[in-house]
Amino acid sequence: MAFERVLDDLLAGSGGATKSEAPAAQPAQRAAPSSPKAKKSRGPKGYIRELVADGFFKKPKTIAEVKAELANRGHHIALTSLSGPLQSLCQDRVLRRHKAKTETGKKPAYNYSEW
């Protein structure tokens, strides 16, 4: 029965909704956050930005120290997942990176600090 009604409407060329049909509901749009703190960044880069805002990088820190502090705050992130966001924040000039003094023959380590 319903199929015949739809077919009749299509063949008649109306193509639109009949009076008995309700218009399609439009998706509700989200209201923009009222304050900057309402929307927090998620993921490693957002968590590192929180550390910057809290003054964690006032003194130079190694990537291992960053990982340990994030773990203290409940964000358990692999060390290999931190290098990319740290590099990105250095490129955005939020942080700066410099070589740490290491013993001869060891792989060079880097420290991260605020500008």
Side-chain angles (χ1 to χ4, degrees):
M1 181 78 173
F3 178 73
E4 289 177 14
R5 188 173 197 191
V6 171
L7 184 60
D8 288 339
D9 286 342
L10 290 174
L11 291 176
S14 67
T18 61
K19 291 179 184 178
S20 62
E21 295 177 4
Q26 294 181 353
Q29 294 180 359
R30 292 186 195 187
S34 58
S35 66
K37 283 203 155 203
K39 183 181 178 188
K40 288 188 175 183
S41 296
R42 297 269 177 181
K45 191 171 181 180
Y47 301 144
I48 296 170
R49 282 189 182 272
E50 288 178 11
L51 292 178
V52 171
D54 292 343
F56 178 74
F57 290 100
K58 292 215 181 280
K59 292 184 179 178
K61 306 289 183 183
T62 65
I63 192 168
E65 292 171 322
V66 174
K67 179 187 183 318
E69 180 60 24
L70 288 173
N72 288 339
R73 294 178 181 216
H75 307 295
H76 300 283
I77 300 170
L79 194 71
T80 55
S81 297
L82 290 175
S83 59
L86 283 168
Q87 182 180 10
S88 176
L89 290 169
C90 289
Q91 291 170 350
D92 295 342
R93 295 193 180 254
V94 174
L95 294 175
R96 67 186 306 188
R97 182 177 106 151
H98 41 89
K99 278 189 181 180
K101 294 180 182 177
T102 59
E103 295 178 21
T104 308
K106 283 196 170 185
K107 191 174 179 181
Y110 291 92
N111 287 332
Y112 297 88
S113 63
E114 289 183 8
W115 276 89

